[in-house]
């Protein structure tokens, strides 16, 4: 952390965030000779992997894919140890990247950007932080992450609870020791499902409060086979290129089947599901081509997982509570390590709060379903104000004082998920309207960083000082994003992709579905002189 306040400094670009997005963006801009001031609220790099230190946290995209590809030296020298990387290893990788490319000198850490206002007369963004910094920049790039604004529901009496509370997305750096404690985990999304087996092992007693059961498949994590890693590294470019052509920019090494459940006889159907279940992870949803689009096929996939849950969980009543009756893959699928098995432990209870919410917190615990639960500590695995939260918590004002919050009051509207009309020279990395959370995040980040850096160079070469999404192009883009989601089952459940987890948030499907199509469309726009952007 630097001590001096930055007042009136002028740079070409302010970058906000030191996650994978902010780091690579900063690297590219500096390489292009631009001056950059970057800000980060944490005290070091890592973004998501800096904040999410909860026990069991790991990536559910495989290690050889969840990494930067921009530097062959980097991808050759780094050794991942497991099929799916644990959080400490990904954070170590982020630190290695920061060291290797000397990135920290561009960042002010422990500096939260509080406001960013566009000064139309000077064509400058005026960016302020909670430390009292004020920096002016020609461009503002928000690399603030899709899942970085923690969501803690407004539980009655939370302030009177005398024990410690933790959010999975803001986990203490020093770790937490639950030994001998009565612990509650609220929430059974990816973070809850990953952490529950670990907390159960440590705590004296664990009570899991589940509002909606979630589909989860075994990750089948294991040490990374050195031979496999070496063969990928022998032609990493080809491996990356194949992943780039996949709908979510990963998973080219295992077959993505195109046929429908309805095309195959029942015995083959179950064998297929079994094969994908055995492989582990998200590829389960690729066992048939229409799991995400056909309710009938989807039900077969869901039935298969429900059968597995009933086989794993010994108490049939608990198994029923854990069985989702929703569309598999509609809420984000989870890849777990021993989640359902955890409910066979004597020290774990499951409380179904689907029909009657948690009533209140008390000094010694919480009350739900008319029952008091004595607790020493509570873990909120209650997710995030996804995709828009981190942007809207900052006072961002564009032309004529238009605030982003007002502009997006009925839901986010962007062009390419990169820019929004009324906010010149503002870019969002992996913003709403881009593949973002429905693609390998690192790949999406690299594509956006390179696209933004090229757009700025292109504008600078032409003395363009104002580069802004045009309203009609934005409107058409929003329609495209909506149409693509409507062709799937995604809009049919209450997921955070739709903002449904945050009370009062407009229900809008935010990510763009289909990474390769997105890249093709974005590239065509660039080739046509950034069609759909107004330039002045
Ligand atoms: P989440 O998927 O939004 O899950 C939040 C959970 O909290 C849900 O079960 C939700 O229930 C519950 N909840 C929220 N408010 C509640 C309330 N008032 N009372 C009771 N329960 C409540 O959040 P997350 O688990 O942090 O995951 C968010 C995303 O982060 C994931 O989908 C994934 O994209 C990413 N992530 C990735 C990894 C990885 O392996 N790479 C790991 C963790 C997270 P409802 O379902 O009823 O709303």
């Amino acid at each position: 952390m630097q001590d001096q306040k930055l007042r009136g400094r002028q740079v070409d670009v302010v970058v906000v965030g030191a996650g994978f997005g902010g780091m690579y963006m900063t690297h590219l801009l500096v390489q292009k000779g631009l001056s950059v001031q970057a800000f980060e609220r944490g005290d070091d790099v890592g973004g998501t992997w800096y904040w999410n230190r909860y026990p069991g946290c790991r990536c559910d995209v495989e290690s050889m894919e969840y990494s930067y590809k921009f530097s062959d030296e980097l991808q050759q020298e780094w050794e991942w140890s497991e099929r799916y990387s644990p959080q400490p290893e990904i954070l170590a990788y982020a630190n290695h990247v920061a060291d290797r490319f000397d990135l920290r000198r561009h960042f002010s850490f422990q500096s939260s950007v509080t406001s960013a206002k566009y000064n139309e007369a000077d064509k400058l963004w005026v960016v302020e932080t909670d430390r009292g910094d004020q920096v002016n920049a020609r461009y503002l790039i928000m690399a603030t992450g899709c899942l970085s604004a923690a969501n803690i529901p407004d539980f009655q009496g939370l302030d009177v609870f005398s024990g410690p509370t933790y959010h999975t997305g803001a986990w203490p750096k020093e770790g937490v020791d639950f030994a001998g404690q009565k612990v509650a985990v609220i929430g059974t999304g990816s973070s809850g499902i990953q952490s529950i087996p670990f907390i159960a092992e440590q705590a004296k007693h664990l009570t899991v409060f589940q509002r909606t059961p979630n589909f989860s498949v075994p990750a089948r994590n294991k040490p990374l086979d050195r031979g496999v890693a070496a063969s990928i590294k022998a032609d990493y470019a080809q491996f990356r290129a194949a992943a780039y052509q996949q709908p979510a920019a990963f998973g080219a090494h295992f077959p993505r089947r195109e046929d429908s459940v309805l095309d195959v006889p029942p015995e083959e159907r179950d064998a297929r599901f079994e094969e994908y279940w055995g492989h582990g992870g998200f590829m389960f949803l690729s066992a048939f081509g229409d799991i995400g689009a056909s309710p009938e096929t989807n039900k077969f996939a869901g039935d298969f997982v429900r059968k597995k849950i009933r086989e794993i969980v010994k108490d049939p009543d608990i198994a029923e509570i854990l069985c989702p009756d929703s569309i598999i893959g509609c809420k984000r699928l989870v890849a777990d390590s021993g989640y359902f098995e955890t409910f066979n432990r004597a020290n774990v209870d499951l409380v179904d709060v689907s029909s009657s919410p948690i009533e209140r917190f008390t000094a010694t615990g919480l009350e739900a379903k008319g029952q008091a639960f004595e607790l020493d500590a509570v873990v909120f695995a209650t997710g995030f104000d996804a995709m828009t939260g981190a942007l809207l918590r900052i006072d961002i004002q564009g032309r004529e004082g238009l605030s982003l919050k007002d502009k997006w009051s009925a839901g986010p509207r962007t062009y390419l998920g990169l820019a929004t009309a009324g906010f010149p020279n503002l870019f969002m990395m992996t913003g709403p309207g881009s593949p973002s959370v429905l693609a390998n995040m690192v790949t999406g980040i690299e594509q956006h960083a390179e696209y933004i850096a090229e757009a700025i160079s292109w504008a600078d070469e032409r003395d363009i000082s104002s580069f802004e999404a045009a309203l009609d192009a934005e409107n058409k883009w929003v329609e495209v994003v909506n149409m693509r989601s409507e062709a799937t089952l995604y809009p049919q459940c209450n997921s955070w992709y739709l903002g449904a987890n945050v009370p009062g948030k407009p229900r809008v499907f935010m990510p763009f579905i289909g990474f390769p199509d997105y890249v093709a469309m974005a590239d065509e726009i660039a080739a046509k002189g950034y069609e759909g952007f107004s330039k002045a």
Side-chain angles (χ1 to χ4, degrees), residues 201-499:
E201 269 179 24
Q202 216 183 57
K204 181 172 159 202
H205 191 271
L206 171 64
T207 311
V208 175
F209 291 87
Q210 172 192 278
R211 188 166 68 181
T212 311
N214 224 331
F215 281 107
S216 186
V217 296
R220 306 215 185 276
N221 186 40
K222 56 186 177 189
L224 183 61
D225 185 304
R226 302 272 37 107
V228 169
S231 72
I232 291 172
K233 284 186 176 184
D235 194 355
Y236 224 143
Q238 188 278 331
F239 180 82
R240 299 289 197 184
Y244 216 71
Q245 294 312 317
Q246 300 303 306
F250 68 86
H253 55 289
F254 198 70
R256 192 177 292 280
R257 309 303 283 264
E258 297 298 332
D259 53 357
S260 169
V261 166
L262 308 176
D263 298 334
V264 298
E267 59 283 3
E268 253 183 63
R269 172 200 309 153
D270 272 6
R272 178 87 64 81
F273 280 130
E274 201 66 63
E275 179 193 354
Y276 280 70
W277 177 266
H279 176 73
F282 289 148
M283 294 309 288
F284 182 78
L285 294 178
S286 305
F288 290 95
D290 56 352
I291 292 177
S294 152
E296 217 173 342
T297 300
N298 191 282
K299 187 169 178 310
F300 278 111
D303 284 345
F304 180 86
V305 177
R306 282 184 280 270
K307 185 183 79 178
K308 290 290 184 190
I309 296 171
R310 291 179 185 122
E311 281 168 13
I312 297 168
V313 180
K314 291 188 183 131
D315 181 327
D317 295 336
I318 300 285
E320 282 322 297
I321 298 171
L322 288 166
C323 277
D325 62 359
S326 48
I327 296 163
I328 184 167
C330 188
K331 285 192 178 195
R332 192 173 182 278
L333 186 65
V334 183
D336 73 89
S337 298
Y339 173 64
F340 294 114
E341 290 82 347
T342 301
F343 293 92
N344 293 331
R345 293 178 65 104
N347 71 331
V348 175
D349 283 332
L350 177 65
V351 180
D352 172 9
V353 289
S354 58
S355 50
S356 55
I358 290 168
E359 285 145 27
R360 67 186 62 80
F361 275 76
T362 62
T364 56
L366 66 79
E367 291 172 9
K369 307 185 95 170
Q371 202 185 327
F373 295 85
E374 296 288 307
L375 299 168
D376 299 310
V378 174
V379 174
F380 293 108
T382 45
F384 301 89
D385 183 352
M387 305 207 67
T388 54
L391 292 164
L392 296 182
R393 286 178 189 188
I394 298 171
D395 179 13
I396 300 178
Q397 294 182 22
R399 275 190 290 109
E400 294 163 20
L402 173 66
S403 85
L404 191 61
K405 202 175 263 170
D406 285 346
K407 169 157 183 187
W408 285 4
S409 59
R413 301 188 71 80
T414 71
Y415 184 41
L416 288 171
L418 277 167
T420 186
F423 297 78
N425 299 358
L426 167 69
F427 289 109
M428 292 161 272
M429 297 191 72
T430 61
S434 73
S436 56
V437 292
L438 290 183
N440 179 347
M441 282 303 302
V442 187
T443 308
I445 278 167
E446 281 185 313
Q447 189 261 340
H448 263 190
E450 288 161 13
Y451 199 86
I452 294 167
E454 276 309 305
I456 292 176
S457 294
W458 186 93
D460 281 355
E461 282 158 17
R462 288 161 181 77
D463 283 330
I464 289 165
S465 53
S466 174
F467 192 92
E468 179 186 346
L471 194 56
D472 57 341
E474 175 175 298
N475 289 339
K476 283 186 197 138
W477 187 257
V478 171
E479 269 176 42
V480 170
V481 176
N482 288 340
M483 268 167 42
R484 293 180 78 92
S485 74
E486 280 154 19
T488 71
L489 301 173
Y490 274 119
Q492 297 186 25
C493 64
N494 291 325
S495 68
W496 59 256
Y497 298 131
L498 285 152

Side-chain angles (χ1 to χ4, degrees), residues 54 58 60 187-191 194 211-212 331-332 381 383 496:
Y54 59 84
R58 70 174 64 246
D60 46 19
T188 51
S190 301
S191 307
Q194 283 191 339
R211 188 166 68 181
T212 311
K331 285 192 178 195
R332 192 173 182 278
W496 59 256

